[in-house]
Amino acid sequence: MTSPLRLLLALLAAGSLVSSASAADFTNEQLAALLENPSLRHLDLPFLDAPKADASLHVEMPDGVRLAASLYFPEGFNPATDKASAVFEDSIYGRGEDASTTAIDLYGKAGMVVIIGEARGFAASFGSQQGFNTSQQTNDEASMIAWIAAQPWSDGKIAAIGHSVSAVFADSMTGSGAPALKAAVIRASDFDEYAHNMFPGGAPNLGILALADELMAWHAGGDCSVILEACAKLGFQPVDGDNSFELLQAAIADHKANLEGSQFRTLVYRDDQLGTSTLGQSGGIARIDTVRAGGVPARVAASWMDGLTALSALDRFRLAPDVPMEVVIGATTHPGGLDADPFSTQPFLPASPSAIEQFAGDVDFVKRVLGGATIARSVNYVVLGTDVWKRSEIWPPAGVTNRLSFLSVRQLSAAVPDAATIDYMVDPSSTSGLYGRWAAQRGKPIFYGDRRTAPGNRLSFDGAPMDADQELVGSPELCLSLSSDQTDGIVIAYLEDVAPDGRVTYLTEAILRLLHRKTAGAPCDPAPGAERSFNRIDGAPVTPGDMMQVELPFYPVAALIRQRHKLRLSLAGADAGWFDGLTGDVAATWTVGFGADRSRLSVPLRPWSN
């Protein structure tokens, strides 16, 4: 008898992933085995076979530091006589690595020149990096844009593009004041590097912090600065003419002065010093005033399940209300090629639309803006559990009503319950899995499967079955009356869909480090959206035994909740592998309080229509 794994592998190789196996059939080992299929990697990274650069060179900055860049001209383009618009991407992963997530051929077919640069302190660029996405880097990018605009082949119109970290840079470029910058494509970005990436809800994101360690160690170059043979193993691309790697070795010698990746782990607050700046001074949210003033039209692409990229896109839409913007939120992996809809019962399906179609939309956006088109503000999003895409000019969309439920013993109730409490001991083995939203930005695919099988013990509360199909769209919010026997810790709240047959589907979650629970207004204010500074002045250690009102805004989502399905709220104090409990070897014990003005859940719903 053919196992579900062998069947999936065969179907994947044949280009089809339709199978009768249920989600509960797949173990972590089977999912990991699926990832060994090379066709899956090419599905998720459709630009792995990037073309060879037409030219690679160093560009000198105003302070004399030389930054590496690769140029890709359209087929048949003569830079001595022809003119074209250009797109510019800034990289810290290396020009060759970022070429694998850049639609070079698509932009080339549209008649545009592609330039991929490397930030100072990285790969073949000289200089050192003393922070993350500092003002110095944005100044460098403005200088690169000016250099591109001054080239004899340039028509003076440039778009900033990026994916992942390079999209964070593209976002900041829109506030750089560079006159030639006319458009931006910001794909899978983190608008707030502290709260949307490294420290969601103030809790250390162990996967991303480990990535920072690895990345900075890689750019330190190991023995490349002294042993020639070591340079070839790094994967960095030298500029043209540097056949003996002398320039690369000299650049890597500069990188020895870079910020160490381990310094990110020492941060607790947004305003903690990190080299010459803070995480609070990096990213688009830190430069929102200049982003607004620049008014550069942007296409911001994200996924409901890819880290907090959807939250980043919607925060940018909200905080820059006058900037022309197309927000596109799908249900894909970080590169965009694989499906990430948690309602899927099969792992690692091809995304729809495909990654090629998604990136083609980026190219079309740039063509429209550079051609003089007016960009209307809109949020275009897929509804999880369906193949339906919707469009709204406002967020949340019109017609949404916040449905209030009160927590009682193991239930969500429309009526206010009698005063009571329940105790819960945090289970450090509780996990969202190896292939959830927090794994996405580590380059892993996404598959939640049936949450009935998720390891660990959580404190759960079930609502009543829906009496009609509903669209859950926006950001639910939890007000939790809670005490702990520890002075710190994290609270993770999961919102899940429970089908009549018992299948439990992940929808979204909220995370908060209790040290950062202080809000700008009163806790659990009726107005949605807890505003937190995450700054040291607002830190609030927990007094063991004291009851707290803790406000947790869930990450935004759009999902179809079908008739007879129930919503489930599950609470945990750890997510093994991604977020630990922050209480050392001692697991916290919580007391959750019920009754009037205590624990309650607000969920944004509207009647389903397509």
Side-chain angles (χ1 to χ4, degrees), residues 426-442:
V426 169
D427 184 349
S429 71
S430 177
T431 180
S432 59
L434 294 178
Y435 302 104
R437 73 189 316 140
W438 305 113
Q441 292 186 330
R442 291 279 328 197

Side-chain angles (χ1 to χ4, degrees), residues 407-411 419-425 458-461 480-483 547 571 589-594 598-599:
L407 277 65
S408 61
V409 178
R410 300 290 182 178
Q411 290 184 331
T421 61
I422 189 171
D423 290 340
Y424 167 70
M425 179 176 285
R458 289 165 290 280
L459 181 60
S460 296
F461 307 84
L480 192 62
S481 185
L482 174 80
S483 70
M547 195 66 76
L571 302 178
T589 296
W590 300 344
T591 298
V592 179
F594 313 127
R598 300 192 85 174
S599 300

Side-chain angles (χ1 to χ4, degrees), residues 202-204 206 424-429 482-491 512-515 541-544 548 572-575 579-590:
L206 302 180
Y424 167 70
M425 179 176 285
V426 169
D427 184 349
S429 71
L482 174 80
S483 70
S484 173
D485 64 353
Q486 304 293 318
T487 58
D488 199 1
I490 66 170
V491 178
L512 179 66
R513 182 173 184 173
L514 290 171
L515 178 70
V542 175
T543 301
M548 306 168 280
D575 184 352
F579 301 92
D580 66 28
L582 298 176
T583 56
D585 296 330
V586 180
T589 296
W590 300 344

Side-chain angles (χ1 to χ4, degrees), residues 48 196 323 400 417 421 436 458 474 531 594 602:
L48 276 174
H196 294 177
V323 175
V400 172
T421 61
R458 289 165 290 280
E531 296 291 338
F594 313 127
S602 176

Side-chain angles (χ1 to χ4, degrees), residues 2-91:
T2 303
S3 71
L5 175 62
R6 288 183 179 276
L7 179 60
L8 268 176
L9 285 170
L11 290 167
L12 191 116
S16 171
L17 284 170
V18 180
S19 167
S20 61
S22 70
D25 290 332
F26 301 104
T27 66
N28 283 334
E29 291 75 16
Q30 289 174 323
L31 294 173
L34 276 176
L35 299 180
E36 296 177 5
N37 191 311
S39 64
L40 196 68
R41 179 165 168 78
H42 278 78
L43 267 177
D44 206 22
L45 288 167
F47 310 118
L48 276 174
D49 301 320
K52 185 179 183 299
D54 294 296
S56 292
L57 70 166
H58 279 119
V59 178
E60 188 169 320
M61 297 292 100
D63 63 356
V65 171
R66 292 173 291 168
L67 306 184
S70 290
L71 281 68
Y72 301 83
F73 295 117
E75 186 175 352
F77 184 81
N78 185 344
T81 58
D82 298 336
K83 287 191 177 292
S85 301
V87 296
F88 170 55
E89 178 173 9
D90 204 14
S91 168

